Amino acid sequence: MTPATGALHIVQISDCHLAQNVGPVIRGVDPDETLAGVLELVRVSRPDYCLATGDLSDEGSTESYERLLDYLHVLEVPIACLPGNHDDAEVMRRMLPGANIGMPEVLDLGAWRIVLLDSTIPGCCPGHLSEERLAGLAAHLRDRPEAHHLIALHHPALPSGCAWMDDDMLLDNPEDLFATIRDVATVRGVIWGHIHQDFFERVEGIPCWGAPATSVQFLPNSRDFRADERMPGLRHLWLNQDGSIESRIERVGDV
Ligand SMILES: [Fe+2]
């Protein structure tokens, strides 16, 4: 795939699950080690921007965000972060306040506007978009009607295919999200994390992508929880000037 000239190159990393201390191996994976491998992919690909779509910490500890910040600083790539259900959004906001590594609600990058939606409910696994957050999204879309829009959030707005997650771990009001964006012709795509696996589906013509984790992978189409042997990875997105998006997954060790 050859992205069109002038495309904005975004990489999405997700679900790092860094623990309070380095060392604990979660389901056979050391999350600091696997994150280092994925960040090396980011460094080599030199994107214009990186989006980190939540569960960056496993339990919301200050120590985990301190290490994340150390890892991200050396990349020298601007990064926008979203909270996931494992994060502590307040601790995150305190720890990641910078211009280049922060938690903006909106990124205006040339012809594109990226809206970052906090879908978390403190203390709960599933996600929800409150009326206030949806009104904020609608306002962000209205503000730049000439722009192409990409929406990012942590929780999936569509079933993943894994029954153990799809029963009660997703966004609990996806219909409200789609009702907000359905008639906005400039919404070109939606991306999320949480599912630790590659995902793609269109809803009413809007492409929706899920991403692998930088930590443990989940086996697609599993009834009960099963880890996947696939390597950690990231999602590349090329946002073209005409509003089209090209995307692919890259995993550690791909040649
Ligand atoms: Fe999550």
Side-chain angles (χ1 to χ4, degrees), residues 145-201:
E146 84 293 355
H148 306 299
H149 293 91
L150 175 71
I151 296 168
L153 72 168
H154 178 70
H155 289 87
L158 292 171
S160 67
C162 289
W164 64 274
M165 275 193 287
D166 292 347
D167 286 347
D168 59 359
M169 292 172 63
L170 310 185
L171 187 70
D172 71 4
N173 60 335
E175 65 284 1
D176 293 335
L177 172 64
F178 290 119
T180 305
I181 65 178
R182 177 173 293 124
D183 297 324
V184 184
T186 54
V187 174
R188 309 299 188 192
V190 183
I191 61 171
W192 53 68
H194 193 62
I195 54 175
H196 294 223
Q197 61 192 276
D198 185 8
F199 177 90
F200 175 75
E201 206 169 306

Side-chain angles (χ1 to χ4, degrees), residues 61-169:
S61 62
T62 304
E63 292 86 346
S64 60
Y65 296 119
E66 274 171 357
R67 294 206 312 288
L68 177 69
L69 207 50
D70 289 345
Y71 300 152
L72 297 182
H73 263 310
V74 296
L75 272 184
E76 297 182 345
V77 172
I79 300 177
C81 303
L82 273 170
N85 49 296
H86 281 257
D87 289 302
D88 183 319
E90 291 314 309
V91 176
M92 255 180 102
R93 286 195 181 89
R94 210 168 56 238
M95 301 289 298
L96 309 174
N100 268 353
I101 305 174
M103 297 177 68
E105 280 186 24
V106 164
L107 290 172
D108 283 315
L109 304 170
W112 284 81
R113 166 168 278 200
I114 301 173
V115 184
L116 296 107
L117 280 178
D118 180 350
S119 58
T120 60
I121 313 167
C124 295
C125 183
H128 182 76
L129 292 173
S130 63
E131 278 183 30
E132 187 185 348
R133 286 171 181 166
L134 289 164
L137 167 62
H140 290 316
L141 299 176
R142 267 198 314 271
D143 276 357
R144 274 197 71 194
E146 84 293 355
H148 306 299
H149 293 91
L150 175 71
I151 296 168
L153 72 168
H154 178 70
H155 289 87
L158 292 171
S160 67
C162 289
W164 64 274
M165 275 193 287
D166 292 347
D167 286 347
D168 59 359
M169 292 172 63

Side-chain angles (χ1 to χ4, degrees), residues 12 25 69 73 87-88 104 174 196 198 213 221 234 248-249 253-254:
Q12 178 193 7
V25 171
L69 207 50
H73 263 310
D87 289 302
D88 183 319
H196 294 223
D198 185 8
N221 301 309
L234 53 76
R248 70 173 172 84
I249 296 295
D254 284 355

